[in-house]
Amino acid sequence: MERKHWLSIWYFVAAFVAITMIQYWMEARHSETIAYSEFKKLLVAKKVHDVSIGDGVISGKLTAEGLEGLLPAAKLQEMKKGGGGDHPFVTVAVNDPELVADLEKSGAAFGGVAQNKWLSTIISWVLPAVIFFALWSFFAKRMGQAQGGLLAIGKSKARVYLQKQTGVTFQDVAGIDEARDELMEVVDFLKNPERYRKLGGKIPKGVLIVGAPGTGKTLLAKAVAGEAGVPFLSLSGSEFVEMFVGVGAARVRDLFKQAEKMAPSIVFIDELDALGKARGFGSMGGHDEREQTLNQLLVEMDGFDTNSGVIILAATNRPEILDPALLRPGRFDRHVAIDRPDVKGRLAILKVHTRDVPLAEDANLEAVAGRTPGFAGADLANLVNEATLLAAKKDRPGVTMGDFEAALDRIVTGLEHKNRVMNPKEKEVVAYHEAGHALVAECRPSADRVTKISIIPRGIAALGYTQQAPTEDRYLLRKTELLERLDVLLGGRVAEELVFHDVSTGAQDDLQRATDMARHMVTQYGMSDALGLATYESPRNQTLLGVQQLPEARVYSESTAQGIDAEINRLLLEAKARVAATLNERRPSLEALAKLLLEKEVVDRAALERLFAPTAMAKS
């Protein structure tokens, strides 16, 4: 429970105790309570006067002599010094027919009192409660609690940022130029709306930003707000839905009211899939709380006027599960897809993240960008941070290229286990295995160049690795290039078999990747002469989260399945034969590289070129 809620609870407990004490004080009125029999004795003794007979209660005053025996001597002495001779008393009335006669005999003045219970209750209970509640409301507003508690459970939790508070502009966004240009138009809509209205154009209601995790969706939305200089209301899709039914819909209504009051403004909903999942997808019925919240969002997006200057931005990495009603024109009119950056984009991102990082003279950001294909903006930011931490750990004045390489190895292959004990035989097998990969890669014209070979265990299960860096980003691969990649994958297994006349379990991952590649060539790419141009499997596209979709049911015959298996096996056997021929031909180079690995454990590109230079190894 939040601290402000605990403060409210303790306040009301203290208020209840205070009201109870006030009630007790008002009922007591500092009177002495005496028994009725004692009252009759004092009445006969003429020590009672100013008697008031009420409903079940008799009150009056006692003389100083009448107090003797009722109060302690010290208190009586104190009263006499203070000059107080009379003291109020109260007693419970009984059914006494002789009371009036006794009062007349004593000569005491007496009378009846008509009591108003409602007025007494109001004065003793209701009035103090109203006062305490008014004080609580006042202090709650002063402390910012006016929107807390159950009274404001339907209020939007959106965080409002102004231009200076976002701290992000388009200068902080790099590597996604097309998406940035698309959203710069949104900034122009907010700054110059009349330019579009005079021609009858309507400002887009919503812009959906789609991209893999870490590609800069939230950063881009903040940059839009920072450039436009308008209020930026930011919240996550999960913040709408809570355990109380109807809360999500109420928060959606309140969010749009806030946005229209602040117009022109931008509303940003991060992780829209938490709120906008397709209705009927995994829900328990039409009255599901999440569906009610989504319905309210759809209604609000239809209801507000585009000329009010409110634009809805949303981001998601799961567009495949969004409700179609959200994606139609009139709601999210524009879809901006953010892909992983290419080599130029990665270089621009690295320059942004190293603006405040001192770099050594040998730090080459272009080389780092070339060695990080598939890295998103968040990955590159993490790479720069890891390299900076390594440089600071070694007390260097700037980040060196070695720091970048060490950080890249740690991110890609895992933590280095230098103290892991391997027996000499296993270490030799790993050395020949990695040497086989590297040698085959160097002998294939279109294969990616080898940058580093290591037989130091890393990560959870990797006993060694051969690192390759593409010379450029590739979007299409020819059949010959795929076949050469098959050769590189099988280089380690064939080298083990050639040298030791035995095989190990170390090639499991290589064989899995080679089998998948051969299967795709046969069933999806039409690269089999025996099976022709037909495709036999739908591509299992990965989602933006990297999770593969389930394959569809097989739609071909058993004889075709046997033909597919035969073609996959043929491709793998032919690749194995080519690799064996290469390694037999270059056996001295394989032996030399394996011995160098056993000696140094890590061989970089420069050492590899020096080793192979005397042989003048030609590409084949």
Side-chain angles (χ1 to χ4, degrees):
M1 186 179 293
E2 294 184 10
R3 182 174 179 269
K4 62 181 181 181
H5 296 158
W6 279 113
L7 291 175
S8 298
I9 290 173
W10 281 113
Y11 175 85
F12 282 112
V13 170
F16 177 77
V17 173
I19 293 173
T20 303
M21 295 178 65
I22 292 172
Q23 172 73 6
Y24 176 78
W25 177 82
M26 292 187 68
E27 288 182 354
R29 296 181 182 275
H30 304 286
S31 301
E32 292 296 329
T33 302
I34 62 176
Y36 187 77
S37 60
E38 192 70 29
F39 162 68
K40 292 295 294 286
K41 291 178 182 180
L42 294 171
L43 184 62
V44 173
K46 297 183 179 182
K47 296 180 180 179
V48 176
H49 61 93
D50 295 337
V51 178
S52 299
I53 303 173
D55 185 11
V57 177
I58 298 175
S59 60
K61 294 183 179 180
L62 295 173
T63 62
E65 294 78 8
L67 292 171
E68 293 180 359
L70 296 176
L71 294 177
K75 189 171 183 182
L76 284 173
Q77 189 68 22
E78 183 180 349
M79 289 180 61
K80 289 179 180 180
K81 289 182 179 179
D86 296 334
H87 190 73
F89 76 92
V90 65
T91 186
V92 178
V94 298
N95 188 9
D96 185 3
E98 300 178 356
L99 177 61
V100 176
D102 292 341
L103 287 169
E104 291 177 347
K105 287 180 181 181
S106 68
F110 67 93
V113 178
Q115 293 183 343
N116 190 335
K117 292 185 177 181
W118 288 103
L119 180 61
S120 176
T121 302
I122 291 174
I123 293 175
S124 62
W125 283 101
V126 178
L127 184 60
V130 171
I131 294 173
F132 278 110
F133 184 79
L135 289 173
W136 173 78
S137 300
F138 172 76
F139 286 112
K141 289 180 181 179
R142 295 292 300 270
M143 295 172 62
Q145 293 182 359
Q147 295 182 353
L150 292 175
L151 296 178
I153 197 169
K155 298 293 184 181
S156 170
K157 294 185 177 181
R159 295 167 293 279
V160 181
Y161 302 92
L162 299 178
Q163 178 186 7
K164 294 181 180 179
Q165 292 175 311
T166 61
V168 181
T169 64
F170 284 137
Q171 293 180 354
D172 302 306
V173 180
I176 45 177
D177 297 338
E178 295 81 4
R180 183 179 61 183
D181 294 342
E182 187 79 11
L183 289 177
M184 286 180 69
E185 294 184 13
V186 175
V187 175
D188 197 37
F189 292 153
L190 294 171
K191 287 185 174 180
N192 306 298
E194 295 301 327
R195 179 189 303 175
Y196 304 94
R197 292 173 185 168
K198 67 182 180 181
L199 297 178
K202 294 182 179 180
I203 298 176
K205 284 188 177 180
V207 178
L208 179 63
I209 306 174
V210 179
T215 50
K217 301 183 292 297
T218 304
L219 181 72
L220 198 56
K222 289 185 178 181
V224 172
E227 290 286 344
V230 298
F232 180 70
L233 288 79
S234 172
L235 74 168
S236 172
S238 61
E239 294 183 51
F240 285 103
V241 182
E242 288 196 12
M243 63 177 291
F244 300 104
V245 176
V247 171
R251 286 179 177 172
V252 171
R253 289 190 294 269
D254 186 68
L255 172 65
F256 278 82
K257 287 181 182 178
Q258 289 186 43
E260 290 182 352
K261 288 179 182 178
M262 298 178 184
S265 60
I266 294 174
V267 176
F268 176 60
I269 304 175
D270 202 2
E271 306 298 342
L272 181 64
D273 49 275
L275 169 65
K277 189 182 297 182
R279 286 165 289 186
F281 182 79
S283 65
M284 299 300 294
H287 296 285
D288 183 70
E289 167 66 7
R290 184 188 54 76
E291 288 194 5
Q292 292 185 21
T293 306
L294 174 58
N295 291 336
Q296 187 63 45
L297 177 62
L298 297 174
V299 170
E300 292 293 337
M301 292 192 71
D302 273 341
F304 81 90
D305 185 10
T306 56
N307 293 327
S308 64
V310 178
I311 291 182
I312 312 298
L313 293 181
T316 182
N317 48 35
R318 303 186 68 189
E320 69 278 359
I321 68 171
L322 292 180
D323 195 286
L326 270 176
L327 306 179
R328 73 162 176 81
R331 289 186 176 129
F332 283 103
D333 304 273
R334 293 196 173 191
H335 301 168
V336 178
I338 303 180
D339 199 1
R340 297 182 184 274
D342 56 12
V343 63
K344 292 183 179 178
R346 294 194 296 273
L347 177 59
I349 294 173
L350 287 170
K351 289 181 178 179
V352 168
H353 289 299
T354 55
R355 284 186 302 198
D356 300 325
V357 176
L359 299 178
E361 293 182 359
D362 66 334
N364 187 347
L365 295 182
E366 293 183 358
V368 175
R371 293 183 55 183
T372 53
F375 273 46
D379 301 324
L380 294 171
N382 184 44
L383 173 63
V384 173
N385 184 61
E386 287 288 344
T388 305
L389 294 177
L390 289 172
K393 182 179 179 180
K394 297 179 180 179
D395 200 21
R396 293 196 180 102
V399 182
T400 65
M401 191 64 187
D403 295 324
F404 280 111
E405 292 177 352
L408 182 61
D409 290 341
R410 181 169 184 172
I411 293 172
V412 174
T413 59
L415 187 65
E416 191 176 71
H417 302 296
K418 289 186 176 180
N419 296 326
R420 178 176 292 179
V421 178
M422 292 178 61
N423 64 60
K425 186 63 177 178
E426 284 186 348
K427 195 171 185 179
E428 186 180 11
V429 171
V430 174
Y432 276 97
H433 182 102
E434 300 302 333
H437 283 307
L439 185 57
V440 174
E442 288 298 299
C443 292
R444 297 296 183 264
S446 63
D448 296 333
R449 297 303 92 209
V450 176
T451 57
K452 181 185 292 186
I453 316 164
S454 172
I455 58 172
I456 299 176
R458 281 184 175 269
I460 297 176
L463 300 178
Y465 66 93
T466 300
Q467 193 175 86
Q468 296 174 265
T471 55
E472 58 185 355
D473 290 336
R474 300 294 304 276
Y475 304 100
L476 292 175
L477 291 173
R478 300 187 303 273
K479 181 179 179 180
T480 54
E481 293 172 331
L482 290 174
L483 292 175
E484 290 184 356
R485 293 195 175 193
L486 272 181
D487 293 352
V488 176
L489 288 172
L490 296 180
R493 171 63 176 263
V494 175
E496 290 183 32
E497 189 174 355
L498 180 65
V499 175
F500 302 104
H501 305 289
D502 198 359
V503 293
S504 71
T505 59
Q508 187 270 335
D509 183 63
D510 298 331
L511 297 178
Q512 181 65 56
R513 293 166 59 192
T515 304
D516 289 341
M517 184 180 297
R519 180 174 295 277
H520 292 164
M521 292 175 65
V522 173
T523 60
Q524 297 179 18
Y525 308 149
M527 294 182 178
S528 170
D529 295 334
L531 295 175
L533 301 178
T535 59
Y536 299 97
E537 291 180 2
S538 299
R540 289 182 284 177
N541 294 329
Q542 290 189 344
T543 63
L544 294 176
L545 291 177
V547 180
Q548 283 193 348
Q549 298 174 348
L550 294 176
E552 297 181 358
R554 194 178 72 182
V555 293
Y556 45 83
S557 65
E558 183 62 30
S559 61
T560 302
Q562 293 176 0
I564 291 174
D565 292 340
E567 283 296 291
I568 293 173
N569 191 47
R570 180 185 64 82
L571 288 174
L572 294 175
L573 290 177
E574 289 179 354
K576 179 182 178 182
R578 291 192 301 271
V579 171
T582 300
L583 294 180
N584 278 317
E585 183 181 356
R586 306 286 192 268
R587 181 65 178 267
S589 298
L590 177 65
E591 298 284 352
L593 180 55
K595 290 179 181 178
L596 184 62
L597 279 171
L598 289 171
E599 179 185 353
K600 302 292 187 181
E601 291 190 333
V602 178
V603 176
D604 58 11
R605 179 68 192 176
L608 188 66
E609 290 179 348
R610 287 195 300 269
L611 179 66
F612 289 161
T615 62
M617 184 170 51
K619 297 289 184 180
S620 60

